[in-house]
Amino acid sequence: MSKPIGIGVIGMGWMGELHARSYQQVPVRFPDAPLTPELVICADEFEKRALGSQAKYGFGTAATNWRDVIGNDAVDVVHITTPNNLHLEIATAAAEAGKHVFCEKPVGRNPGETAQIAAAVREAGVNSHVGFNYRWVPVVQKAKQIIDEGRIGDITHYRGQFLEGYGANPNAMLTWRFAEEESGLGALGDIMSHTVDMAHMLAGPVTRVVSQKETFIKERPAAVPGEGTHYSIGAGGPLEKVSNEDYVGALVQFESGARGSFEVCRVVVGEKLGLRFQINGTTGAMHWSLERMNELDLYLLETEDPVRDGYINLRSGPEMPHHANFNPAQGLQISYDDLKVIEMYEFLRAIAEDRPSVPGLAEAVAVGAVAEAMRRSWESGHWEAVTPI
Ligand code: NAD
């Protein structure tokens, strides 16, 4: 058994529970993990959530005050899975206490808060990780290898989307994601962050953007505190104003010279979980969609055979990164939850090897710089350069 490492999780909603059960899976899926996670303490402002998670996942103790997690000497890593308005205060306190920080995206309410958290982590000299989990899809890692090997040539076009319908029903409740005070940015922080991080990983830095936004559904039924998720539907109660954006679109230019577009929306009808990329290079192309996350459509000009001049469909399999840790079969599916197990394993490896975990705060700041340029473009109506934040 490898050396133990103490884990504290703050915010026991969807993500907090997923982080906890992903750690339970690490020793099973990755027997070579250099550290053995021990679930020390979980916290939620609602006692029933804290106690419920303690009972389900076997945390040593539970709390309603997140400061009990920071103050617990047995905790080495603090996971921040609260609404975005708490990321800055908790991450700063955790870093100052010498704890490694895993913060869910978008890391704070806005790029300014992301930069503050990055500075706190840097000054404390602790490690960090950010929940850009879609990087870890085995066929996406395979796509990156194919690009890095030069098989599709120089990337000329990149189209990234995250089209979701979680708020498409006007009676989807006004949970924290729709409230600027708690969430900060709307779709720009929530889902554009995933789109930009994916583009950065596959096609390199974005250098300039021109962007627009819209809030299509302006009022929603008030949420019940401590109940439900952002998929909850309610009707008949009082309506409250939505105070951040539903939609963001942008034309983008990459440092490499590639041109492209990003489009994200949380209220689009028909789409369910449309995180996608389409990439064209000088000698090939590829298409991927989260709704069929185990498949990569790949076109390679190198075949030079007119009969085979078309896309081939690669299926996830044990020869792809991390797939064999979940099952030994070609074409058998990897799930969303598995990505979180990979994420925890990769974070533990980086901590054990004393090197910065990727994606960490540095990658979140790079995403934040693009978001900030988009936000400036909403005001100026012009192209804006991506500058350091
Ligand atoms: P959620 O609403 O399901 O859970 C948030 C939890 O935090 C709730 O249980 C709430 O009671 C708790 N909380 C609120 N205030 C608190 C306080 N003061 N102290 C302790 N607990 C408190 O939200 P979620 O969907 O799990 O999102 C949480 C974070 O994870 C957000 O930053 C979100 O952007 C991110 N997220 C990431 C992904 C991904 O794919 N990486 C997916 C969903 C959410």
Side-chain angles (χ1 to χ4, degrees):
M1 170 99 63
S2 58
K3 211 175 130 214
I5 184 165
I7 309 296
V9 185
I10 303 173
M12 300 316 295
W14 178 22
M15 279 302 113
E17 292 225 335
L18 178 53
H19 284 219
R21 63 179 178 268
S22 299
Y23 270 126
Q24 288 182 322
Q25 284 284 302
V26 166
V28 180
R29 298 297 189 182
F30 294 95
D32 65 323
L35 295 164
T36 303
E38 291 189 350
L39 298 179
V40 174
I41 178 170
C42 62
D44 198 285
E45 64 170 345
F46 292 97
E47 189 177 33
K48 72 174 180 186
R49 286 193 170 182
L51 293 177
S53 296
Q54 182 192 8
K56 260 197 254 181
Y57 303 108
F59 283 93
T61 185
T64 51
N65 185 341
W66 61 262
R67 291 186 186 279
D68 291 353
V69 176
I70 310 287
N72 190 312
D73 290 340
V75 169
D76 302 300
V77 184
V78 172
H79 280 247
I80 306 166
T81 50
T82 60
N84 305 339
N85 58 326
L86 291 161
H87 290 182
L88 175 59
E89 194 182 4
I90 298 175
T92 305
E96 284 172 357
K99 317 282 188 189
H100 302 300
V101 173
F102 187 129
C103 189
E104 265 302 341
K105 43 60 58 180
V107 189
R109 281 177 292 192
N110 52 55
E113 292 192 355
T114 311
Q116 282 178 264
I117 293 170
V121 161
R122 214 169 32 243
E123 277 158 30
V126 294
N127 215 327
S128 67
H129 199 92
V130 175
F132 291 126
N133 29 252
Y134 302 114
R135 282 180 172 233
W136 300 114
V137 176
V139 296
V140 170
Q141 286 291 319
K142 182 71 188 172
K144 179 165 169 49
Q145 281 176 10
I146 292 167
I147 292 168
D148 291 349
E149 286 163 4
R151 304 282 297 277
I152 68 164
D154 296 329
I155 294 175
T156 51
H157 304 66
Y158 186 105
R159 293 172 298 286
Q161 292 183 328
F162 204 160
L163 300 177
E164 283 203 64
Y166 70 76
N169 184 331
N171 288 323
M173 298 179 92
L174 201 146
T175 50
W176 64 263
R177 279 177 173 74
F178 299 93
E180 189 182 10
E181 180 60 29
E182 288 168 284
S183 173
L185 295 168
L188 182 57
D190 191 22
I191 46 182
M192 183 63 90
S193 59
H194 281 299
T195 296
V196 176
D197 181 68
M198 186 69 93
H200 278 171
M201 180 180 80
L202 296 172
V206 172
T207 51
R208 63 180 202 136
V209 302
V210 59
S211 179
Q212 58 171 330
K213 64 156 179 166
E214 179 58 300
T215 304
F216 289 109
I217 299 177
K218 307 211 185 303
E219 292 184 317
R220 293 180 177 278
V224 183
E227 298 290 334
T229 69
H230 62 299
Y231 298 99
S232 301
I233 307 294
L239 294 177
E240 286 177 2
K241 187 172 172 296
V242 174
S243 46
N244 54 25
E245 70 288 347
D246 290 332
Y247 166 88
V248 182
L251 296 177
V252 304
Q253 186 175 330
F254 291 82
E255 193 175 272
S256 66
R259 302 299 202 267
S261 62
F262 297 157
E263 187 179 37
V264 305
C265 189
R266 63 188 181 188
V267 302
V268 67
V269 169
E271 310 294 332
K272 299 295 182 198
L273 205 64
L275 174 64
R276 305 187 183 110
F277 58 76
Q278 295 186 349
I279 306 175
N280 304 85
T282 48
T283 59
M286 47 180 60
H287 294 175
W288 174 83
S289 167
L290 180 59
E291 289 176 340
R292 293 187 175 174
M293 66 181 255
N294 291 281
E295 299 177 28
L296 178 71
D297 289 330
L298 176 68
Y299 178 89
L300 294 177
L301 205 54
E302 68 194 23
T303 55
E304 286 186 2
D305 174 353
V307 178
R308 298 176 62 196
D309 184 10
Y311 282 85
I312 57 168
N313 180 258
L314 302 186
R315 306 287 167 87
S316 195
E319 71 286 2
M320 296 192 186
H322 301 316
H323 179 112
N325 293 88
F326 296 90
N327 72 66
Q330 289 191 333
L332 203 54
Q333 315 286 302
I334 297 290
S335 81
Y336 171 81
D337 281 20
D338 297 335
L339 305 180
K340 281 300 202 207
V341 184
I342 299 171
E343 194 169 70
M344 303 312 159
Y345 166 68
E346 290 291 346
F347 188 30
L348 294 184
R349 273 203 330 142
I351 291 172
E353 292 166 13
D354 198 21
R355 58 171 168 79
S357 196
V358 176
L361 257 304
E363 286 69 30
V365 165
V367 168
V370 176
E372 184 56 27
M374 288 185 189
R375 206 197 48 72
R376 271 188 273 120
S377 176
W378 298 344
E379 287 164 11
S380 70
H382 298 298
W383 282 90
E384 294 286 345
V386 176
T387 52
I389 51 169

